[in-house]
Amino acid sequence: QQQVKQSPQSLIVQKGGISIINCAYENTAFDYFPWYQQFPGKGPALLIAIRPDVSEKKEGRFTISFNKSAKQFSLHIMDSQPGDSATYFCASGSMFSGGYNKLIFGAGTRLAVHP
Amino acid sequence: EAGVAQSPRYKIIEKRQSVAFWCNPISGHATLYWYQQILGQGPKLLIQFQNNGVVDDSQLPKDRFSAERLKGVDSTLKIQPAKLEDSAVYLCASSLGYLNANTGELFFGEGSRLTVL
């Protein structure tokens, strides 16, 4: 299976700081790159996603930066808050003409934001 | 809007026993996924349905795992016989799955945690 490599495995950030999580993919056919957030005991939930036709997407304090030539993308969390403490997964996938999508997830980054 | 429902939330079994998990996706979602999430790892796709047809089951261990989605709505995932390495959270997800209406977002349930002793 095509891999999606995520780093770091864990991250500790002070409140108000910037959290940066990186992801690299292998398959150049991938055309959809989401980030999911997971709290303990819950299923992952979509945080933000990007398509390869743009290099950056921002939603509130969350920004995805995308580098197509390097096959890498990253999540930046500005002004990190204790409530952001969770596990973050990058994913890569393809959208098919039939309307469905297939996603491969990274291994996850456990973020702890200290007050 | 009701989310993805899964049951049971927790299950403890002995190895070589069987277990079944149930999933009810969000109403109107054509695509249904079963993911396996081992502690400390990312979700791994086991099987994906589009309506009641299988789109991808390449990573489903078919000698012990089976899944069905009758009538294109609810789905069950069965493991028989279970092995120690099957201990994981089994996540069900659904998405719209219709051409021109698919944002790509997967909606996950809270998962079914399986412990095999």
Side-chain angles (χ1 to χ4, degrees):
Chain A
Q1 182 188 24
Q2 298 286 341
Q3 292 218 6
V4 176
K5 297 181 180 179
Q6 184 173 345
S7 63
Q9 279 187 312
S10 62
L11 182 62
I12 298 174
V13 173
Q14 292 298 315
K15 178 182 176 181
I18 302 174
S19 304
I20 302 174
I21 305 171
N22 301 299
C23 202
Y25 62 98
E26 297 178 347
N27 191 339
T28 55
F30 286 155
D31 58 6
Y32 178 62
F33 304 92
W35 285 90
Y36 279 76
Q37 180 188 56
Q38 185 177 31
F39 293 103
K42 303 294 185 181
L46 179 66
L47 189 62
I48 186 173
I50 197 169
R51 304 287 180 134
D53 52 343
V54 296
S55 60
E56 186 175 282
K57 182 175 181 180
K58 183 177 181 179
E59 291 184 0
R61 296 185 293 109
F62 302 93
T63 300
I64 297 181
S65 297
F66 184 79
N67 185 330
K68 187 174 182 178
S69 61
K71 293 189 287 185
Q72 295 176 347
F73 59 108
S74 60
L75 175 69
H76 292 63
I77 306 175
M78 311 299 289
D79 186 26
S80 298
Q81 299 296 312
D84 297 330
S85 298
T87 300
Y88 292 81
F89 295 97
C90 64
S92 300
S94 304
M95 303 283 286
F96 291 85
S97 59
Y100 59 86
N101 49 299
K102 302 176 74 170
L103 288 182
I104 299 171
F105 284 82
T109 296
R110 182 171 292 186
L111 171 66
V113 181
H114 290 179
Chain B
E1 178 183 80
V4 176
Q6 289 190 246
S7 66
R9 288 294 314 278
Y10 305 93
K11 189 74 176 179
I12 300 174
I13 61 174
E14 300 283 333
K15 60 183 179 182
R16 290 187 290 275
Q17 286 187 324
S18 64
V19 63
F21 302 112
W22 172 82
C23 173
N24 185 20
I26 293 174
S27 178
H29 281 195
T31 314
L32 185 146
Y33 313 74
W34 283 103
Y35 282 87
Q36 179 192 58
Q37 186 174 24
I38 294 173
L39 186 65
Q41 297 183 19
K44 171 189 166 185
L45 180 66
L46 292 176
I47 189 167
Q48 178 175 345
F49 294 93
Q50 182 75 353
N51 296 309
N52 59 350
V54 176
V55 171
D56 184 354
D57 63 356
S58 58
Q59 295 202 87
L60 187 73
K62 298 179 185 64
D63 57 334
R64 298 183 300 103
F65 286 65
S66 64
E68 61 181 8
R69 190 184 186 195
L70 299 176
K71 301 180 182 178
V73 183
D74 293 7
S75 177
T76 56
L77 175 70
K78 297 179 181 179
I79 307 174
Q80 183 180 13
K83 292 185 175 181
L84 295 177
E85 59 260 36
D86 298 332
S87 293
V89 175
Y90 291 85
L91 293 164
C92 179
S94 68
S95 67
L96 274 169
Y98 291 103
L99 186 62
N100 297 327
N102 188 5
T103 65
E105 180 173 2
L106 268 62
F107 295 84
F108 284 87
E110 294 192 327
S112 295
R113 182 178 297 275
L114 172 66
T115 302
V116 182
L117 302 176

